[in-house]
Amino acid sequence: QVQLVESGGGLVQAGGSLRLSCAASGRTSSSYAMGWFRQTPGKEREFIAVISWGGSSRYHGDSVKGRFTISRDNAKNTVYLQMNSLKPEDTAVYYCAAKYGSAWPFTVDYWGQGTQVTVSS
């Protein structure tokens, strides 16, 4: 199994930036895609971004294209989400996720515990 631990969340004003990190541990010898979802109570979990093991395939959700960028460092088993031009509607718990194999479709095998991002106006 794989364990995922997010970090980097916090409180930021609208227009600001944050960078989230997710470190993977456990059985990480196989190729796997990593990505991010977010969720607000009362709403369905929303896909944010995913990146393939080699980094050549990247997908970003329509609501964050041009503002958020996903990247990864396989030597550190870590995926990042750079979030710029943050809006109050970006407020959510952000979850790291991993899937064995290709990036898309991103059918998740493992979930992190989440990190809170709050954007104030």
Side-chain angles (χ1 to χ4, degrees), residues 19 23 60 65 94 111 115:
R19 189 178 76 156
H60 296 83
K65 286 180 180 177
Y94 283 72
W111 294 96
T115 185

Side-chain angles (χ1 to χ4, degrees), residues 85-106:
S85 301
L86 284 162
K87 305 174 181 179
E89 51 261 45
D90 295 319
T91 295
V93 176
Y94 283 72
Y95 294 92
C96 182
K99 172 209 173 187
Y100 289 115
S102 62
W104 201 262
F106 192 33

Side-chain angles (χ1 to χ4, degrees), residues 104-115:
W104 201 262
F106 192 33
T107 49
V108 175
D109 293 314
Y110 299 99
W111 294 96
Q113 293 299 305
T115 185

